[in-house]
Amino acid sequence: MKKVSHPFYSALGKGALDMLPLSLAVLPWGILFGSLAIQRGFTWLEAQALSAITFGGAVQIMAVELMADGASLFTVLFSAFVISSRHFLYGLTLRERLKTQPLRWRLSLGFLLTDELFALSGHRRAYKSRLRLFYALGAGGSFYLAWNAWTFIGIIAGASLPDLTELGLDFAIAATFIALVVPSIKSLSVLVAVLVAAVCSVTFELMDIELSLVFSGLLGMTAGFTVAQWERLQ
Amino acid sequence: MTMITILLLALITFTTRYLFLEGRLPIRMGAKARQFLSYSGPAILTAICMPIIFIKDHHLNVALNNPYLGAAIVAIIAAWKTGNIYWTVGLGMLVFLLYSGLSL
């Protein structure tokens, strides 16, 4: 008989399972990044290091393109900062829950705090118990391993693989986010926040506005907050 | 040199993620700030996924044969009716695959 598994292990597994659609959805991008880096003259170690320690899809692809074009160090770092700035919002949102946790949890979950992990952080009790911390570690850690595995495949297979980004696997990201957002719409203010963010994100993206994501998020939040304040006055 | 740049990039992504998780940072958030931030999840996730659904090659695509749009509507209904992540992603992906198969 197998030993009955420890609840921490099942929390890890549950996190990894919930993350699975997102881990699979980024497969084309991980492969694209790995092969792009090699084509642009990076060594396999540098390509893998970008996924292993920088660990930010959009930042990695931008950095490889800019560095291959001979952009200045400042340009590369500044662009990375701009792309990465949305994470400040995630940290602020989770601050009250995580700031009192032990350093090792803050460092590890902070390192793993991607869009995808933030997406799975909406639960009322998220990060509030050991079990919930293990859940987040399973989700964030499995996503990290997947992203690095996909990068590795891209590095080895390189240009011999077809471009998979046209396959539509990114719909899994949309479907997962819909599954997380829709049940959270329990009041008029959240509905307004979502609608404003939706309209702004599509509009800004079409206008090629940099920081489109951060601006549309902030505008949606402001709209929701305003409606809630207005409702309280009524 | 490349490795140093990679290390600096890592420092940037890590700092933007970790900074506000640090308790010693002298930031006190009142009830209003917390309420404002409570909308960040729904607003940001929506802002990430709507362009995936509505934009194709830098153009708005609201045509009926856009598989992203048709499948997203099914996923929204599934999420609303079931509230279950597996049902929503499963049904959404199924419709998406059928839809893109048909419109090829």
Side-chain angles (χ1 to χ4, degrees), chain A residues 181 184-200 216-228 230-231, chain B residues 39 42-43 46:
Chain A
V181 169
S184 75
I185 306 179
K186 290 194 183 110
S187 65
L188 178 67
S189 60
V190 179
L191 179 66
V192 171
V194 164
L195 291 178
V196 169
V199 172
C200 291
S216 30
L218 284 173
L219 282 171
M221 292 161 70
T222 309
F225 179 76
T226 310
V227 168
W230 177 80
E231 279 180 329
Chain B
Y39 297 99
T46 302

Side-chain angles (χ1 to χ4, degrees), chain A residues 98-128:
Chain A
L98 272 168
K99 71 175 186 191
T100 50
Q101 297 294 350
L103 183 67
R104 62 176 189 280
W105 278 111
R106 276 183 287 127
L107 286 176
S108 53
L109 293 176
F111 176 74
L112 295 171
L113 188 54
T114 52
D115 298 337
E116 287 77 6
L117 181 55
F118 180 67
L120 295 183
S121 303
H123 194 278
R124 202 160 38 83
R125 289 192 302 275
Y127 303 104
K128 284 188 172 169

Side-chain angles (χ1 to χ4, degrees), chain A residues 18 55 93 95 170 189, chain B residues 17 22 25 39-40 68 86:
Chain A
D18 286 358
F55 187 44
T93 303
R95 176 173 171 79
D170 52 349
S189 60
Chain B
R17 285 171 180 151
E22 176 51 60
L25 207 66
Y39 297 99
S40 70
Y68 287 87
Y86 305 117

Side-chain angles (χ1 to χ4, degrees), chain A residues 14 17-18 21 42 45-46 49-50 53-56 59 62-63 67 73 76-78 80-81 84-85 87-96 98-99 103 106-107 109-115 118-120 166-184 189-190 193-194 197-198 201-202 205-206 208 213-214 216-218 220-222 224-225 228-229 232, chain B residues 1-61 67-97 100:
Chain A
K14 174 81 164 55
L17 182 67
D18 286 358
F42 289 75
L45 187 67
E46 291 161 351
L50 271 162
I53 64 172
T54 303
F55 187 44
V59 168
M62 173 281 301
M67 286 162 76
L73 181 63
V76 177
L77 297 182
F78 184 73
F81 180 78
S84 227
S85 58
H87 295 122
F88 285 131
L89 265 177
Y90 305 167
L92 270 175
T93 303
L94 303 178
R95 176 173 171 79
E96 294 303 313
L98 272 168
K99 71 175 186 191
L103 183 67
R106 276 183 287 127
L107 286 176
L109 293 176
F111 176 74
L112 295 171
L113 188 54
T114 52
D115 298 337
F118 180 67
L120 295 183
E166 294 288 315
L167 220 58
L169 274 180
D170 52 349
F171 181 75
I173 298 176
T176 307
F177 285 12
I178 286 170
L180 295 165
V181 169
V182 171
S184 75
S189 60
V190 179
V194 164
S201 64
V202 174
E205 193 76 29
L206 285 170
D208 267 331
L213 176 58
V214 174
S216 30
L218 284 173
M221 292 161 70
T222 309
F225 179 76
Q229 295 296 106
R232 265 185 44 187
Chain B
M1 185 58 207
T2 306
M3 266 302 176
I4 294 172
T5 310
I6 292 172
L7 283 172
L8 291 172
L9 285 169
L11 194 67
I12 289 173
T13 51
F14 179 74
T15 307
T16 58
R17 285 171 180 151
Y18 179 78
L19 186 67
F20 290 115
L21 303 182
E22 176 51 60
R24 279 170 299 181
L25 207 66
I27 295 181
R28 278 272 177 77
M29 283 192 283
K32 284 196 170 176
R34 269 185 243 179
Q35 195 190 11
F36 177 72
L37 287 168
S38 73
Y39 297 99
S40 70
I44 295 267
L45 297 188
T46 302
I48 292 176
C49 79
M50 285 303 139
I52 298 178
I53 295 165
F54 282 104
I55 300 179
K56 174 85 181 164
D57 300 327
H58 292 283
H59 289 286
L60 189 64
N61 184 358
Y68 287 87
L69 187 53
I73 292 170
V74 171
I76 288 171
I77 295 171
W80 178 39
K81 291 292 178 194
T82 70
N84 180 298
I85 180 169
Y86 305 117
W87 272 108
T88 306
V89 176
L91 272 175
M93 281 311 279
L94 182 69
V95 172
F96 179 80
L97 293 174
S100 24

